[in-house]
Amino acid sequence: MISLMDKVLDRLVPRATASADTSYYKNCDGCTYVAEYGYVGHWQKLCHVVGGKTGCTGCLYFRVGCA
């Protein structure tokens, strides 16, 4: 049974979550040749997961190679 103090604590302090904040790169397109750089690779965007919400930048980053 949940005690009165546990109920009060639940109202005052939010429960901890197991989700971790992280960042990762996501490919915007298939492997392509970019003449400006002279390489074959992927355009990528940087995505962040913060507090369970995801947000990404535009396709600003170029990664050389197609893996």
Side-chain angles (χ1 to χ4, degrees):
M1 182 172 269
I2 297 176
S3 71
L4 177 62
M5 290 309 293
D6 285 337
K7 289 180 182 179
V8 170
L9 187 60
D10 279 345
R11 289 208 178 248
L12 296 176
V13 181
R15 294 194 180 260
T17 60
S19 64
D21 297 344
T22 187
S23 297
Y24 61 95
Y25 286 95
K26 185 174 181 180
N27 290 339
C28 296
D29 57 5
C31 192
T32 185
Y33 176 76
V34 176
E36 181 180 341
Y37 297 118
Y39 290 104
V40 173
H42 291 282
W43 281 104
Q44 296 182 322
K45 56 187 170 184
L46 180 60
C47 298
H48 305 283
V49 179
V50 178
K53 296 183 179 180
T54 303
C56 297
T57 65
C59 298
L60 305 173
Y61 306 97
F62 186 73
R63 178 173 175 247
V64 174
C66 297

